[in-house]
Amino acid sequence: MTLHIETPALLFSATSLILLAYTNRFLTIAQIVRSLKKNYDEVKNKSILVEINNLNLRLTLIRYMQLFGVLCLFLSVFAMLVLFLEWQMAGIYIFGASLLCLLISLGISFWEISISVNALRVHLSDLMEVEK
């Protein structure tokens, strides 16, 4: 199997967009946490604490999503360097590690999204009980 120097470069645009999306999610959740904390300081409602804990878990997951996304990008660049130096087998393994990091990042992203969906369903179930 041969790997050309252009192949790892294909991940640049995809990884950059994914990292941008992760950063937007992080900033949005951080803003919600700040708002909820301010609300909790005024009201001292336990349900707000549960929601903050949920968001804290999501922030941790997003941090790992970003970590593996950046590692994917780093390994792609490193694979290009190794391929430029004509170390074909090392380049293949490093590029494979880069793809593995991308898969891990996407898997964690799916986990974080499923937590988000479950939290929204809890809020919607409260509305559905009011309707009945």
Side-chain angles (χ1 to χ4, degrees), residues 1-4 8 75 78-98:
M1 174 181 182
T2 56
L3 185 65
H4 298 283
L75 289 172
F78 193 58
M80 287 177 64
L81 174 67
V82 168
L83 290 169
F84 177 76
L85 297 173
E86 297 183 4
W87 298 337
Q88 189 65 219
M89 283 310 290
I92 290 171
Y93 286 120
I94 293 169
F95 182 62
S98 144

Side-chain angles (χ1 to χ4, degrees), residues 11-58:
L11 288 182
F12 287 178
S13 60
T15 307
S16 298
L17 288 174
I18 287 171
L19 288 173
L20 181 62
Y22 292 169
T23 301
N24 287 339
R25 289 185 74 77
F26 179 84
L27 293 173
T28 301
I29 292 173
Q31 184 178 13
I32 293 169
V33 167
R34 287 185 190 102
S35 171
L36 284 174
K37 186 190 179 307
K38 185 177 179 181
N39 193 3
Y40 177 77
D41 289 341
E42 295 168 2
V43 180
K44 303 288 185 200
N45 187 342
K46 292 280 188 189
S47 67
I48 295 174
L49 279 180
V50 172
E51 201 166 340
I52 289 173
N53 284 334
N54 180 310
L55 292 169
N56 188 38
L57 171 61
R58 290 177 57 199

Side-chain angles (χ1 to χ4, degrees), residues 127-132:
L127 290 175
M128 299 305 264
E129 289 174 9
V130 170
E131 264 185 27
K132 291 180 182 179

